[in-house]
């Protein structure tokens, strides 16, 4: 055996192992079709996940603001800033005075900056009904309104706040609906 390997496949009726060019092209074509079907679904799932994340953090911050207001016996607020188209947005928590989340150390709670930026939720627009949501410690009330988060694909998620501090998410009916959330009133 001098280093050459002979294939006796034709004598035993066995085909040599490997792929032909045609077989490889068929596999690539099928993969491309499956990928083309999966990408829009993945994109929609990614937008819905970002919407849920933005809404969850805002609801947690509203609850934190209510807790801080009760604990301090003073008013605490959530201040929004955004561009006119809603794409560049942020909000911050502050005691007693409105704050600018675009300025360093402007939004402080317990001597720590508390700011959430829209850049953490790429492609999500925020539209609050008010620029400031005041939590009043005396009556345990808040400025009633909502914040609407909108994804690039048109899906929406709202965070509703009642005047008595009930905070809940909802999604509008129709094409902008996200399943798993109650329909907005």
């Amino acid at each position: 055996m001098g280093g050459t390997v002979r294939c006796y496949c034709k004598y035993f009726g066995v085909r040599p192992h490997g792929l032909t060019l045609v077989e490889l092209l068929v596999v690539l074509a099928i993969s491309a079709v499956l990928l083309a079907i999966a990408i829009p679904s993945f994109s929609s799932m990614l937008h819905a996940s970002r919407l849920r994340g933005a809404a969850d953090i805002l609801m947690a911050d509203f609850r934190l603001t209510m807790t801080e207001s009760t604990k301090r016996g003073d008013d605490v607020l959530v201040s929004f800033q955004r561009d006119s188209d809603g794409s560049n947005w942020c909000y911050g928590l502050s005691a007693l005075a409105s704050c600018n989340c675009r300025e360093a150390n402007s939004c402080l709670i317990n001597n720590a900056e508390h700011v959430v930026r829209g850049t953490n939720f790429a492609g999500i627009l925020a539209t609050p009904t008010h620029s400031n949501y005041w939590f009043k410690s005396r009556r345990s009330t808040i400025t009633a309104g909502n914040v609407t988060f909108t994804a690039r694909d048109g899906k929406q998620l709202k965070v509703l706040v009642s005047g008595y501090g009930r905070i809940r998410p909802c999604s509008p009916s129709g094409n902008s609906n996200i399943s798993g959330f109650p329909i907005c009133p």
Side-chain angles (χ1 to χ4, degrees), residues 16-173:
H17 296 290
L19 293 175
T20 65
L21 182 60
V22 173
E23 291 171 329
L24 185 61
L25 290 175
V26 168
V27 168
L28 286 174
I30 291 171
S31 298
V33 168
L34 291 176
L35 189 61
I37 292 170
I39 285 177
S41 177
F42 179 74
S43 177
S44 179
M45 183 180 69
L46 185 62
H47 290 309
S49 175
R50 287 182 181 153
L51 284 171
R52 284 184 181 102
D56 286 345
I57 288 176
L58 179 62
M59 288 188 305
D61 284 340
F62 276 154
R63 289 185 183 104
L64 172 65
T65 307
M66 285 178 24
T67 302
E68 282 293 320
S69 174
T70 303
K71 181 175 93 175
R72 292 168 178 265
D74 256 329
D75 299 346
V76 179
L77 74 143
V78 175
S79 295
F80 275 88
Q81 277 83 37
R82 68 184 196 104
D83 292 346
S84 59
D85 64 355
S87 60
N88 185 16
W89 59 272
C90 63
Y91 68 84
L93 281 58
S94 177
L96 300 174
S98 180
C99 68
N100 185 347
C101 56
R102 294 179 177 163
E103 293 178 9
N105 296 320
S106 176
C107 302
L108 300 173
I109 290 286
N110 297 328
N111 296 322
E113 186 175 43
H114 193 103
V115 172
V116 174
R117 299 186 195 312
T119 53
N120 296 336
F121 306 98
I124 303 299
L125 308 177
T127 310
T129 53
H130 307 289
S131 58
N132 291 313
Y133 290 85
W134 287 93
F135 286 85
K136 306 284 186 182
S137 63
R138 281 194 170 159
R139 296 184 193 139
S140 295
T141 60
I142 182 176
T143 307
N146 68 66
V147 178
T148 303
F149 294 105
T150 307
R152 288 184 184 144
D153 63 358
K155 301 289 186 187
Q156 290 185 337
L157 197 55
K158 287 186 179 186
V159 175
L160 303 175
V161 182
S162 74
Y164 295 104
R166 182 176 182 212
I167 302 163
R168 62 191 174 102
C170 69
S171 185
S173 61

Side-chain angles (χ1 to χ4, degrees), residues 1-9 11 16:
M1 298 282 236
T4 58
V5 178
R6 294 187 179 163
C7 181
Y8 294 102
C9 300
Y11 298 115

